[in-house]
Amino acid sequence: MSSHDRAAAAVFAQVALAADGAVIGIALAYVAVQSWFKFNTTSSALHKIRRAPVVRVSDLRSLIASSSDDNNTSDESELAVGKLVVVRGIVEAKSAVDGNWRSLRPNILVSHESGERAVVLQRTQTCIYNEWRGLFGWTSDLRTLFARSWKEQESTSFRTVPFILVEAGQWPHSDYVIVNLDGSRHPLPLTTVYHQLQPVHASPYTFLQALFGHEYPVSIVNEIYVCLGDFVTVGLLDEEKILPIGKEISAVGICSTQDGGSEIKSCKDLPYFLSDMTKDQMVVDLAFRSKVLLWSGILLGSLSFGILGYAIVRNWSRWKEWRQQRQVQRSSDAAAAAAAEIGDEEAGDAPDGELCVICLMRRRRSAFVPCGHLVCCQGCALSVERESAPKCPVCRQTIRTSIRIYGS
């Protein structure tokens, strides 16, 4: 670890431990609240998937029809309401069941590298480069703390064709369910068919190649341009993932009728849509997640509560000490001001009957309330008032305050 990284870590530790750990306590409380929200979402998804029936593709129409009969809805428009189900089937291109001249040329995707047929094709090109230190290294420290993702920049192309799920071993595919990916942000069970890391040594010649049409990511050009001679070693990671035809997957979503056929769409409240797992595996995975989120929320919440409680007690005690010191300082300042105001004029010659009964040096200037005895100078009167149980030195009566008496 360099000196800049150690300095950044020291600053981060000081900020985290500020106010006796209150910052850490607040951060842990935030994470605990997020864990609790995720636990509620995961528990709800687990409950829904447990209740969802596992059906075959051929039974979907009868299931939707029986569901609509139970709801006493005979109108065909009501069939689009749908029902949450778990369907397991084989991936097939929709063009295979269209039944027209287009089926002679099936609408499928072909992998550029492996040549396999697929319905989903995703190509990713990631630029991996050593970070530029910048002026005095501060750029690296900022990236280390706030933007580690800057070290990798990727460009992704995603292509799909309409596809369906059919039952295994059934031909022709008379019963099928159309998979609707519109609005779905769930991860797809893609298979990696190509993976290659190609090192590239950035140089002025590389920059010229990029300018004249060589297929390098824009991030390489920008990095070389910014470095201005301080070039870095760049690596290009090419990946290709597909959803191949013939793969068996599970679809979890809302199934409804669409144009006389069955269609399944994703449910935003569920973490799965298309998955390699079966329903039982999904239930086990969600149950494990919910337990981890629950106990992590309880643990982090208890820890944050303890840290925040300790920080509150410590800061409250410090505030009380500061307040007491402030009061003592004000009293000292008032006494010093009073002594300065008294000055040398009261330290002069005075009859014995007019001298303070405590210091026997200054004139009597302050009368006690409520007894009214004029027996002390202003400085000694203030000292008597600051006592825990102030009493008049003559009559020993409890006093509240003193009043300075000015002679004519």
Side-chain angles (χ1 to χ4, degrees), residues 4-317:
H4 299 286
D5 295 335
R6 288 195 296 269
V11 172
F12 180 77
Q14 291 179 0
V15 173
L17 296 177
D20 293 319
V23 176
I24 294 180
I26 294 174
L28 290 177
Y30 175 78
V31 176
V33 171
Q34 292 295 322
S35 299
W36 179 254
F37 284 137
K38 291 181 180 179
F39 166 73
N40 290 334
T41 304
T42 306
S43 300
S44 176
L46 175 61
H47 180 68
K48 291 180 180 179
I49 292 181
R50 277 179 175 171
R51 294 181 56 186
V54 180
V55 296
R56 298 185 302 174
V57 177
S58 58
D59 297 334
L60 281 175
R61 294 186 181 182
S62 60
L63 178 67
I64 298 175
S66 62
S67 176
S68 62
D69 292 339
D70 294 338
N71 295 330
N72 295 323
T73 57
S74 57
D75 190 1
E76 292 184 358
S77 62
E78 295 294 334
L79 296 179
V81 175
K83 183 176 182 180
L84 181 64
V85 295
V86 179
V87 183
R88 190 154 183 93
I90 304 296
V91 176
E92 184 63 62
K94 188 176 181 297
S95 59
V97 295
D98 282 342
N100 53 26
W101 62 272
R102 293 182 179 179
S103 61
L104 299 177
R105 295 184 60 187
N107 185 16
I108 59 175
L109 302 174
V110 180
S111 171
H112 295 273
E113 303 298 338
S114 64
E116 297 185 26
R117 301 187 307 164
V119 294
V120 177
L121 178 62
Q122 177 180 332
R123 297 191 64 189
T124 304
Q125 191 174 52
T126 306
C127 171
I128 305 173
Y129 56 90
N130 297 330
E131 63 183 30
W132 178 51
R133 297 300 297 179
L135 296 176
F136 306 106
W138 64 270
T139 306
S140 173
D141 296 333
L142 292 179
R143 289 182 179 181
T144 301
L145 290 176
F146 304 107
R148 287 189 177 272
S149 61
W150 289 3
K151 294 183 180 179
E152 295 186 1
Q153 298 180 4
E154 65 179 23
S155 58
T156 303
S157 62
F158 189 81
R159 297 174 57 196
T160 62
V161 296
F163 65 98
I164 59 176
L165 295 182
V166 297
E167 290 189 15
Q170 183 181 4
W171 186 265
H173 304 306
S174 58
D175 295 317
Y176 59 89
V177 56
I178 302 173
V179 179
N180 190 345
L181 293 178
D182 294 340
S184 173
R185 295 186 178 179
H186 297 80
L188 298 176
L190 302 180
T191 303
T192 302
V193 294
Y194 181 72
H195 182 93
Q196 182 182 15
L197 178 61
Q198 177 184 2
V200 177
H201 298 282
S203 65
Y205 179 66
T206 307
F207 179 67
L208 292 177
Q209 284 181 319
L211 288 181
F212 286 100
H214 198 282
E215 293 184 358
Y216 286 107
V218 179
S219 55
I220 296 181
V221 182
N222 293 338
E223 186 68 16
I224 297 173
Y225 180 74
V226 170
C227 288
L228 295 177
D230 188 11
F231 300 112
V232 293
T233 301
V234 181
L236 290 180
L237 177 61
D238 289 328
E239 287 185 307
E240 192 171 71
K241 297 181 180 180
I242 63 171
L243 182 59
I245 294 176
K247 183 176 182 178
E248 185 178 9
I249 61 174
S250 298
V252 185
I254 306 297
C255 192
S256 60
T257 58
Q258 185 72 20
D259 297 332
S262 301
E263 181 185 71
I264 190 166
K265 293 187 64 175
S266 64
C267 182
K268 296 182 180 179
D269 299 334
L270 301 180
Y272 308 109
F273 178 37
L274 302 179
S275 175
D276 292 325
M277 296 186 293
T278 62
K279 176 186 174 180
D280 295 335
Q281 292 173 338
M282 295 179 190
V283 169
V284 171
D285 182 56
L286 288 177
F288 176 75
R289 286 191 199 178
S290 61
K291 289 182 180 179
V292 171
L293 290 172
L294 174 62
W295 287 108
S296 63
I298 294 176
L299 202 63
L300 293 175
S302 303
L303 188 60
S304 65
F305 182 78
I307 294 176
L308 288 175
Y310 171 77
I312 291 173
V313 171
R314 287 282 299 172
N315 285 280
W316 177 258
S317 301

Side-chain angles (χ1 to χ4, degrees), residues 355-374:
L355 289 178
C356 173
V357 297
I358 296 179
C359 66
L360 298 176
M361 295 176 59
R362 293 182 288 269
R363 292 179 181 272
R364 302 176 183 180
R365 293 294 189 186
S366 296
F368 293 111
V369 178
C371 65
H373 286 118
L374 180 63

